[in-house]
Amino acid sequence: MTKIKLNIQDLLELEGITEGTEFFKNQRVTGLLSGRHASMLRGRGLDFSEVRKYVLGDDIRNIDWKVTARTRETHTKVFSEEKERPQMTILDQSLSMLFGSTGDLKANIGIQLMAIHGFRALKMGDRFGGIVYNDQQNLIFRPSRSKNLFQALLEHALQLNHNLIEQKISKNTSFHKLEEALFQMLQIAHHDFIINVVTDITLLTDLGLERLGTLAQSNNVIVTHIYDPLDEFLPAQRIPMTDTAVQIDWDITKMKQKEFSEKYKVMYHQLEERLMDYRIPLIKFDTVKPLKVQVKEVLNDQYQG
């Protein structure tokens, strides 16, 4: 398992990873916001403003045929420049993210994704902020266009990341920080935010899913699942297990492998269905492939889709 600690320079170097691309396009979402979901996620562009009578020179592609038929006079749709859209990331740096079987840690993948989304938001002229949490605390940074505040957000997130890797965590931990972060987001994101929740979705509870659904009623919510192959497939071998007092060898048979895998698939499918009910796009990154490769693959899928 890789336990290399990231530093601020590692994150700042991610600024150019998606140069010339857009995470959020003005079309039905595919690729980056894919999975089994389809969601109309507005990009920066034009917002519908009103309908008025057609004037010579107006773009005929904007004619409102329904109003024209009803009034028997040609009417056209008028668009205005779309307002900026604040973007925020909820980032999980809890103990559950301290895992990576052969590649990177889930926690490291997550913090890099937050950095990428932040750079894209600022380049688009949007405000960016985040809520970063571990098992003990939630750090809130409200959306801002300030690059200095964005770097401060990354540095505070790195501190939680380093505490996690070095296991500088009190025994008095809470396992409900995601629900708390979602509740805090509900107090901030009242309308038209783009919110990306970066976690291992198998940690989502019914309460967490309900709060995601509430957020999605008036905002564009995306859930990014950080996945490791061992989440679903156990190796066929003897694994020593200990509680420091007693050690046993757990023999993983083919039957146990199959049961473990099927249980995971059922759980994942149920969570996927719940997110679909709320029309929340689900995307997936793993701990094995280099992140830069995965981001480019996802963006290629988006444009080909």
Side-chain angles (χ1 to χ4, degrees), residues 129-170:
I131 299 177
V132 186
Y133 69 92
N134 60 15
D135 298 277
Q136 297 171 267
Q137 61 181 319
N138 292 26
L139 302 178
I140 302 174
F141 282 74
R142 291 179 178 272
S144 168
R145 292 189 184 88
S146 167
K147 290 184 178 180
N148 289 336
L149 287 177
F150 174 52
Q151 183 165 329
L153 166 59
L154 294 181
E155 289 172 345
H156 279 78
L158 276 172
Q159 186 59 59
L160 266 60
N161 178 269
H162 292 173
N163 289 346
L164 174 65
I165 293 174
E166 296 166 7
Q167 299 190 43
K168 294 179 179 178
I169 298 174
S170 167

Side-chain angles (χ1 to χ4, degrees), residues 84-147:
E84 59 91 17
R85 306 198 65 197
Q87 301 189 32
M88 292 191 73
T89 292
I90 295 178
L91 174 64
D92 186 350
Q93 291 291 292
S94 67
L95 277 169
S96 58
M97 301 291 279
L98 186 64
F99 185 69
S101 59
T102 57
D104 210 342
L105 294 172
K106 292 183 181 183
N108 286 350
I109 297 294
I111 197 171
Q112 291 176 86
L113 286 172
M114 183 184 73
I116 292 168
H117 279 279
F119 283 124
R120 289 307 304 153
L122 295 179
K123 285 185 178 180
M124 292 165 68
D126 289 338
R127 291 177 288 134
F128 183 80
I131 299 177
V132 186
Y133 69 92
N134 60 15
D135 298 277
Q136 297 171 267
Q137 61 181 319
N138 292 26
L139 302 178
I140 302 174
F141 282 74
R142 291 179 178 272
S144 168
R145 292 189 184 88
S146 167
K147 290 184 178 180

Side-chain angles (χ1 to χ4, degrees), residues 150-275:
F150 174 52
Q151 183 165 329
L153 166 59
L154 294 181
E155 289 172 345
H156 279 78
L158 276 172
Q159 186 59 59
L160 266 60
N161 178 269
H162 292 173
N163 289 346
L164 174 65
I165 293 174
E166 296 166 7
Q167 299 190 43
K168 294 179 179 178
I169 298 174
S170 167
K171 294 181 180 179
N172 299 318
T173 59
S174 168
F175 299 100
H176 302 286
K177 287 297 180 180
L178 175 55
E179 290 92 330
E180 184 179 322
L182 290 168
F183 177 78
Q184 291 167 333
M185 186 63 76
L186 283 167
Q187 314 310 306
I188 298 171
H190 299 295
H191 194 267
D192 280 346
F193 276 60
I194 294 173
I195 302 164
N196 190 9
V197 181
V198 181
T199 186
D200 176 342
I201 67 164
T202 60
L203 305 172
L204 280 169
T205 62
D206 286 339
L207 178 58
L209 286 163
E210 289 171 9
R211 288 180 175 170
L212 280 171
T214 302
L215 276 170
Q217 290 175 9
S218 53
N219 302 282
N220 286 124
V221 178
I222 308 146
V223 171
T224 299
H225 175 50
I226 310 297
Y227 164 85
D228 187 272
L230 287 190
D231 290 343
E232 181 177 357
F233 300 105
L234 288 176
Q237 62 185 47
R238 286 182 178 272
I239 297 180
M241 304 182 70
T242 180
D243 62 358
T244 70
V246 178
Q247 178 172 316
I248 62 172
D249 287 336
W250 185 30
D251 187 12
I252 302 176
T253 63
K254 289 186 177 180
M255 180 64 71
K256 287 178 181 177
Q257 275 185 312
K258 184 177 179 181
E259 290 175 356
F260 185 86
S261 179
E262 289 179 350
K263 184 177 180 180
Y264 179 89
K265 288 177 181 178
V266 168
M267 175 178 58
Y268 187 87
H269 177 72
Q270 290 173 344
L271 290 167
E272 199 175 28
E273 291 288 335
R274 289 286 300 277
L275 292 172

